[in-house]
Amino acid sequence: MLDGCVPWPEEFAERYRAAGYWKDETLGEMLRARAREHGDRPALVAPRGSTRGSTRQTGRSTGPGAGRVTGHGQVTGPATGPRGEGTTGSDEAGWERLTYAGLDARADRVAAGLRALGIAPGDRVVVQLPNTAAFVTLIFGLFRLGALPIFALPAHRSSEITYFCEFTAATAYVIPDEDDYRHLAGEVLAKTTTLEHVLTEIPEADPADLPRPDPADVALFLLSGGTTGVPKLVPRTHREWAYSGRAVAEACGYDQDTVHLVSLPLGHNWPLTHGLLATLHAGGTLVLADGPSPDETFPLIESEGVTETGLVPGVALLWMEAAEWGEHDLSSLRRVTIGGSKLSDELAKRVEPALGCRLQQAFGMAEGLCGFHRPEDPPEVVLVSQGIPVSPADEMRVVDEDDRDVPPGEVGQLLARGPYTIRGYYRSPAHNAQTFTHDGFYRTGDLVRLLPTGHVVFEGRVKDQINRGGDKIAAEEVENHLLAHPNVRQVALVGVPDEVLGERSCACVVPRGEAPALPELAAFLRERGVAAFKIPDRLEIMTDLPLTPLGKVSKKALTAMVT
Ligand code: AMP
């Protein structure tokens, strides 16, 4: 296994293999197997995206201008071969339709194209693409090659991307062919040392023989929601991540007739596993939208006959309001799945009548454990809980502050262990020692209680993190940036309840000299390359911050003051 990753103890690995959870299959082989079974069936309907099918590369220049994106990198020649093979069509608005055979062939071509550029098995590649066909063909090309994508979100800016590149010694960074991303890449190139390629288009070449990646090895990195500093990197291996997709597909009853629309950013764990991986595992059709707004998604539901989709609560609310207009036929939708942050019981009750389909709730985390309702779950369970784990081998404990199990039905911190829950973050031994128990349970930081049926009810968090409509903000990361402002003496970032997003962030600042205003702090954070969703929604100026008896800032008291 890749250096800096924590393997499962052999005893557990053996158990998961013997039970058939872990197969001797890479993610690239999973797609190949589907292509054999469902070659002519539609696999993908997606905006093509600016990043597609060519080999132009924006390289690191080595002369005096080093660190600038020049727009003229090494060119390895035009893509050759039957680009259209397996393409069932692409229309003028730039949509691409690929069959399973087509997607499989494209993945081979992309793997060969990446290799020809000099990207090698084991290399790390930061991927920051919107929901496009290019996203899907790229990642399967990387899986085939055995190069490791690190999934950045479209909202990440130079502060985050530079950290991902440096921390993983990434050699390539893939962005959309757009000015603002090229500008961002320029900033990143100026600050990093290992990055050799900035790709604005996906390279393709005639398929080549490539060594087979080890199914037990790391295939990709997801980002943790995180509570400290910048996001931690979550290494996921071929065989356990493939299993999580299979387990989700089975729990949700997906099959070839499933048409799943993903409109949340694919780089995020939830849409990636529940949407992309589970759907392709089941031989269904994956439909991608560039964003979740009803304007963009409702016409697609109608035209593609979408049966399933995943939403965060804030988006679900927008959809419910828009559905009242009745402008689009949403009758193909069989179910919507809502997760990522807590869906209030009140909103939950309105989903089925408003959208005319079943509600399923879900929870999950980049570290692994995820849960869904099952089709047979009764409404009284679906309305008040967030789901039940997908694997029979998932182990959950609900514990108090001393790691003792709380009595059944009481609230405590959720600990998780299982065949697709990691045993440690990448290169983080000190953090791992705190975040994992000695016997390998991940401390989720979530406060939950279990219903007698085993369903999980989310009750809040132990960790210092704000969940802004599914986007996780590590308070400490933003506080550190704000403390760099000359007029900020002390700061604490807290979450305040919000009807649409679940939570919004509020910066409580004790000023040094003249009190700063919110627009000024926002500009300051943007200047430092901080993602927009992390910029505080509110500012409260205070003379001091409330303290706990131990003298730590009391976020609990602070939250009560500003709510
Ligand atoms: P991420 O790793 O970004 O997917 O974030 C995982 C975290 O999101 C979990 O640890 C929870 O705190 C939160 N989360 C996910 N789904 C739900 C849900 N249905 N209800 C409440 N919180 C959720």
Side-chain angles (χ1 to χ4, degrees):
M1 204 185 202
L2 181 71
D3 262 7
C5 298
V6 185
W8 279 260
E10 189 44 40
E11 170 204 347
F12 284 85
E14 178 49 39
R15 195 186 302 170
Y16 298 149
R17 276 194 303 264
Y21 303 132
W22 291 0
K23 294 187 171 169
D24 183 34
E25 189 180 62
T26 66
L27 292 162
E29 289 165 345
M30 186 279 278
L31 175 63
R32 181 90 79 223
R34 289 306 89 82
R36 268 193 226 109
E37 295 160 45
H38 312 286
D40 293 335
R41 294 185 58 84
L44 180 67
V45 179
R48 180 174 297 131
S50 53
T51 314
R52 185 208 176 234
S54 153
T55 52
R56 188 162 68 89
Q57 177 198 9
T58 309
R60 174 186 285 282
S61 58
T62 50
R68 283 184 312 128
V69 177
T70 62
H72 302 288
Q74 173 194 348
V75 176
T76 57
T80 53
R83 164 90 44 81
E85 188 191 324
T87 302
T88 57
S90 50
D91 61 36
E92 287 182 359
W95 284 79
E96 184 144 35
R97 293 172 185 276
L98 286 174
T99 61
Y100 273 89
L103 179 56
D104 185 52
R106 188 72 72 77
D108 278 340
R109 295 186 57 75
V110 171
L114 290 164
R115 187 72 197 95
L117 275 186
I119 295 171
D123 278 3
R124 269 79 67 190
V125 177
V126 176
V127 176
Q128 190 181 29
L129 293 179
N131 292 359
T132 51
F135 184 113
V136 185
T137 55
L138 172 68
I139 69 168
F140 278 100
L142 289 167
F143 295 152
R144 285 243 160 107
L145 176 61
L148 281 49
I150 296 143
F151 290 106
L153 297 175
H156 283 137
R157 283 296 164 266
S158 63
S159 153
E160 293 97 357
I161 303 286
T162 304
Y163 164 76
F164 303 146
C165 292
E166 287 291 284
F167 193 69
T168 64
T171 55
Y173 171 35
V174 189
I175 52 169
D177 192 9
E178 291 168 18
D179 281 347
D180 51 344
Y181 283 97
R182 276 193 295 268
H183 179 75
L184 172 59
E187 291 176 45
V188 173
L189 271 173
K191 291 194 231 164
T192 58
T193 48
T194 57
L195 210 52
E196 286 167 21
H197 315 272
V198 173
L199 302 181
T200 54
E201 294 176 22
I202 309 292
E204 286 186 35
D206 285 340
D209 273 343
L210 296 167
R212 178 190 189 231
D214 180 350
D217 215 335
V218 178
L220 63 144
F221 288 100
L222 298 173
L223 307 178
S224 78
T227 54
T228 53
V230 271
K232 295 276 172 295
L233 288 157
V234 179
R236 305 291 304 258
T237 68
H238 285 271
R239 62 184 179 188
E240 58 80 13
W241 198 59
Y243 171 56
S244 75
R246 189 163 87 237
V248 171
E250 283 165 9
C252 297
Y254 287 175
D255 59 23
Q256 297 175 16
D257 297 326
T258 298
V259 182
H260 190 131
L261 171 68
V262 173
S263 62
L264 302 172
L266 261 181
H268 189 272
N269 156 62
W270 187 41
L272 197 60
T273 313
H274 168 238
L276 181 146
L277 188 64
T279 305
L280 294 181
H281 175 82
T285 307
L286 177 67
V287 179
L288 301 183
D290 202 13
S293 78
D295 285 354
E296 220 155 328
T297 50
F298 284 13
L300 268 179
I301 294 174
E302 187 171 343
S303 64
E304 301 303 326
V306 169
T307 61
E308 301 275 344
T309 195
L311 303 174
V312 289
V315 172
L317 183 62
L318 278 181
W319 278 36
M320 282 154 53
E321 287 163 358
E324 274 180 30
W325 294 91
E327 277 174 20
H328 292 279
D329 179 2
L330 305 182
S331 62
S332 60
L333 268 183
R334 293 182 199 149
R335 179 169 59 183
V336 290
T337 308
I338 301 180
S341 65
K342 176 82 182 262
L343 177 67
S344 69
D345 295 358
E346 276 314 300
L347 206 56
K349 281 186 216 150
R350 288 163 48 194
V351 174
E352 295 197 352
L355 295 177
C357 63
R358 294 279 312 263
L359 163 70
Q360 177 187 45
Q361 295 201 46
F363 67 88
M365 46 207 74
E367 290 79 1
L369 180 73
C370 64
F372 290 79
H373 287 124
R374 302 297 195 273
E376 63 279 9
D377 284 339
E380 60 273 19
V381 167
V382 173
L383 292 179
V384 302
S385 69
Q386 279 61 62
I388 190 164
V390 292
S391 171
D394 280 323
E395 298 172 75
M396 293 192 294
R397 289 181 60 203
V398 182
V399 301
D400 65 15
E401 279 161 9
D402 298 319
D403 275 358
R404 285 182 307 230
D405 293 300
V406 299
E410 291 200 2
V411 175
Q413 181 179 186
L414 176 65
L415 307 186
R417 187 169 76 174
Y420 60 93
T421 297
I422 57 161
R423 294 297 186 122
Y425 294 103
Y426 180 54
R427 290 183 51 205
S428 305
H431 186 67
N432 287 342
Q434 294 171 2
T435 316
F436 292 82
T437 63
H438 67 279
D439 53 353
F441 278 86
Y442 165 55
R443 298 178 199 279
T444 65
D446 290 313
L447 291 173
V448 303
R449 66 191 162 84
L450 299 185
L451 300 181
T453 49
H455 289 81
V456 184
V457 182
F458 279 70
E459 297 284 2
R461 282 184 303 279
V462 199
K463 51 195 184 183
D464 193 7
Q465 182 199 67
I466 296 155
N467 188 335
R468 189 179 185 280
D471 282 325
K472 313 300 180 317
I473 304 170
E476 190 186 316
E477 179 189 1
V478 179
E479 288 163 2
N480 283 338
H481 280 294
L482 286 171
L483 280 171
H485 189 283
N487 296 111
V488 174
R489 191 164 75 82
Q490 242 190 323
V491 58
L493 194 78
V494 294
V496 288
D498 181 83
E499 207 172 293
V500 176
L501 292 171
E503 276 185 304
R504 278 180 197 270
S505 65
C506 175
C508 303
V509 167
V510 179
R512 176 184 289 124
E514 197 178 327
L518 185 57
E520 182 189 339
L521 291 181
F524 180 72
L525 292 178
R526 269 195 295 273
E527 181 71 17
R528 291 174 70 87
V530 173
F533 68 84
K534 296 179 190 167
I535 293 177
D537 296 298
R538 230 176 93 187
L539 171 67
E540 290 290 334
I541 298 293
M542 303 191 162
T543 46
D544 48 32
L545 300 177
L547 301 179
T548 65
L550 275 178
K552 294 202 313 184
V553 172
S554 169
K555 292 229 168 159
K556 207 166 155 192
L558 203 50
T559 308
M561 286 164 68
V562 298
T563 300

